[in-house]
Amino acid sequence: MNFNECMDFISSYSRLGAKVTDLSRAEELMERIGNPEKDLKFVHIAGTNGKGSTLEYIANALELSGYKTGKFTSPFVTHYTDRIRINDREIDEKSLSEICSFVAGHVADRKYSQFEITMAIAFLWYKKEKCDIVVLETGIGGLLDSTNVIPSPLLSVITSISLDHTSILGDTVEKIAVQKAGIIKENSAVVLSIDNKNEVSRIVEETALKKHSEFIQPRYNNFKYKAMEFDGMPFIYKGEQFKTAMLGFHQPCNAVTAIESCRYLKKKGFFVPEYAIRKSIETTQVKARVQYIKGNPPVIVDGGHNPAGINTLAMVIDDIRLKGKKIFTVMGMVDSKDYKSGIEKIARYSEKIFLVDGFINNAVPSEKLKAIAEKYTDSQACDFKSAVENAKKLALENNGIVLLCGSLYLASEYLNIYCM
């Protein structure tokens, strides 16, 4: 297979595959390709929001400590291979094609999902490259997510849990927490993010107890926010001052989760010095996660699409407005999300909002979004290119900031066109 044939093969599988009720399908796939997961060490991450940032903090600290660190993220942001990395290196086309050919020769049908095939390719590459450790992000949920086919990890990590994918995971935070806690395995440990409700903490702690695994959750009395700055989020944890490179009031919570995770990994024999943890927090930036792009005008790109993600973004832009900056927004959403409340929330903080569609098949029509937004601010439905140009023009004229948000697909389109 060449690279294009490889991508055609992966695309021939459905996005989700047939409905799963257990891990037998993923287990069978691993057996067919030689069970590479059994030769790897994992940190396994689940959660509704914050997985990507927390993964990068932990993985970058490990890399700075000298470890060959695999990174598996979901979904990709700008192109397929950015989800399969070792340190800062994406899987190369030659390796992808060779491994994909191997996988294709060992699967007899089309019952798998694109995600499962991608995971198989990633595990084989990490094994081939002799990774010291792999930081692995779940796709959807945890208990029945195909990544849960791995043996007991060194550590499970659960970030902020809220409502998302409710048709698959359940319609309450408690039901979703049960699914996420499904990644906790026997005789291991779990770190739970500080910003979770008490009922989530109870479910995760009870699951850990049943699995004879250590439960670790940072305490609020050791944690203190500081005022947001344009270049990051300062905070204090256990008397030490830190500052994330990423914006968002959620980032200190993600960073503290990473701090506790790295300190636990020390107990498991990984030498992760404090300077590596600190440097990772101070330098890590993730595309499309309240990503601040310096320029004239500056642009914030965010792929958050569920209520918790939109609320987090709204807090950031409200703080920016209070610092005297006006927000000019380009926004689009998909019809599988709560687009009404998302548009309402962001429109309230926008000087003007441009609504767009066409970035993916199930994008909500821009005129439909405009009908919601115009109740709160000056609104215009237009094509993507015009929206970006007009928003930047207004931001330049008014000492403002451009915000592009509502969907990871939209964020990806912007980054691919304007930032590559």
Side-chain angles (χ1 to χ4, degrees):
M1 281 187 180
N2 58 35
F3 179 75
N4 290 333
E5 290 169 337
C6 175
M7 296 312 300
D8 287 342
F9 169 75
I10 295 167
S11 299
S12 71
Y13 289 86
S14 66
R15 193 171 66 87
L16 295 176
K19 185 177 179 180
V20 297
T21 56
D22 56 33
L23 292 173
S24 60
R25 191 171 79 192
E27 289 169 346
E28 181 196 50
L29 175 59
M30 290 297 102
E31 287 174 6
R32 287 187 177 193
I33 63 169
N35 291 112
E37 78 284 0
K38 293 182 179 179
D39 296 311
L40 297 166
K41 296 178 180 178
F42 293 95
V43 172
H44 199 188
I45 302 181
T48 307
N49 293 300
K51 298 190 297 294
S53 301
T54 304
L55 179 148
E56 296 293 344
Y57 287 135
I58 296 170
N60 290 344
L62 287 162
E63 180 186 351
L64 287 164
S65 303
Y67 293 103
K68 195 170 190 178
T69 307
K71 301 178 184 179
F72 184 80
T73 55
S74 175
F76 68 83
V77 179
T78 59
H79 53 279
Y80 178 81
T81 56
D82 71 22
R83 68 187 303 175
I84 306 172
R85 290 167 290 151
I86 295 175
N87 296 344
D88 286 329
R89 175 170 61 98
E90 295 177 9
I91 186 170
D92 58 282
E93 291 189 5
K94 182 174 183 291
S95 295
L96 179 63
S97 299
E98 288 176 353
I99 294 171
C100 190
S101 295
F102 174 82
V103 172
H106 287 75
V107 294
D109 47 46
R110 291 286 184 268
K111 64 183 178 181
Y112 303 110
S113 67
Q114 289 182 21
F115 184 86
E116 288 164 335
I117 295 296
T118 297
M119 180 185 76
I121 292 168
F123 286 0
L124 286 166
W125 189 52
Y126 300 143
K127 179 181 177 180
K128 177 186 174 187
E129 294 291 319
K130 297 181 173 59
C131 283
D132 298 307
I133 188 169
V134 174
V135 190
L136 176 70
E137 181 182 345
T138 58
I140 296 176
L143 180 65
L144 299 179
D145 188 77
S146 60
T147 60
N148 210 26
V149 74
I150 64 171
S152 282
L154 295 166
L155 176 67
S156 298
V157 179
I158 299 176
T159 61
S160 177
I161 293 177
S162 59
L163 295 176
D164 197 13
H165 300 293
T166 52
S167 63
I168 299 173
L169 303 179
D171 56 3
T172 67
V173 169
E174 291 85 353
K175 289 178 182 177
I176 293 173
V178 170
Q179 292 295 315
K180 306 291 185 184
I183 69 167
I184 303 170
K185 289 190 169 67
E186 293 285 344
N187 303 311
S188 184
V190 59
V191 176
L192 176 67
S193 178
I194 195 173
D195 55 342
N196 274 295
K197 295 180 178 180
N198 290 335
E199 50 266 40
V200 170
S201 299
R202 176 183 56 79
I203 289 167
V204 174
E205 186 170 14
E206 287 177 355
T207 305
L209 184 64
K210 291 176 184 175
K211 297 287 186 177
H212 306 100
S213 289
E214 183 178 351
F215 174 77
I216 303 163
Q217 186 175 30
R219 297 182 180 276
Y220 268 113
N221 58 5
N222 290 326
F223 176 76
K224 184 178 180 181
Y225 280 108
K226 298 185 76 174
M228 189 184 82
E229 300 174 9
F230 280 115
D231 61 347
M233 290 293 307
F235 67 97
I236 297 172
Y237 184 59
K238 292 185 175 178
E240 295 182 73
Q241 294 200 34
F242 296 88
K243 183 178 178 180
T244 68
M246 288 191 281
L247 293 176
F249 292 96
H250 58 302
Q251 285 303 339
C253 296
N254 295 336
V256 166
T257 303
I259 291 169
E260 289 297 339
S261 297
C262 290
R263 288 175 178 171
Y264 177 81
L265 289 174
K266 288 182 185 179
K267 298 179 184 178
K268 303 299 288 185
F270 283 80
F271 177 69
V272 190
E274 290 296 313
Y275 79 81
I277 299 172
R278 177 177 294 277
K279 186 173 181 181
S280 176
I281 290 166
E282 292 175 347
T283 59
T284 293
Q285 297 194 53
V286 184
K287 291 178 180 179
R289 267 76 165 188
V290 197
Q291 180 183 358
Y292 184 84
I293 302 171
K294 293 180 180 179
N296 192 22
V299 179
I300 293 175
V301 179
D302 187 63
H305 47 254
N306 56 45
I310 294 288
N311 287 339
T312 295
L313 176 62
M315 290 173 64
V316 172
I317 61 175
D318 186 35
D319 193 79
I320 290 172
R321 287 173 68 249
L322 293 174
K323 289 179 168 63
K325 293 284 188 179
K326 294 181 178 179
I327 306 295
F328 298 92
T329 300
V330 176
M331 190 169 186
M333 295 193 72
V334 299
D335 60 15
S336 60
K337 303 299 177 182
D338 183 5
Y339 60 85
K340 184 175 184 293
S341 66
I343 295 293
E344 288 174 342
K345 178 75 70 173
I346 299 302
R348 287 187 176 98
Y349 299 110
S350 302
E351 194 75 12
K352 181 165 184 175
I353 186 167
F354 297 90
L355 292 315
V356 301
D357 56 27
F359 53 90
I360 194 168
N361 291 338
N362 64 329
V364 181
S366 57
E367 290 290 348
K368 192 171 184 177
L369 298 179
K370 179 181 180 296
I372 300 168
E374 63 188 5
K375 300 173 186 176
Y376 305 95
T377 192
D378 185 11
S379 307
Q380 181 179 338
C382 57
D383 66 89
F384 177 71
K385 184 178 179 182
S386 298
V388 171
E389 290 176 353
N390 290 332
K392 287 187 174 182
K393 181 175 182 292
L394 288 170
L396 278 171
E397 293 171 351
N398 295 277
N399 188 33
I401 291 177
V402 174
L403 170 66
L404 186 131
C405 66
S407 169
L408 188 59
Y409 298 107
L410 181 63
S412 176
E413 182 156 334
Y414 180 85
L415 293 171
N416 276 320
I417 293 174
Y418 294 94
C419 300
M420 296 299 283

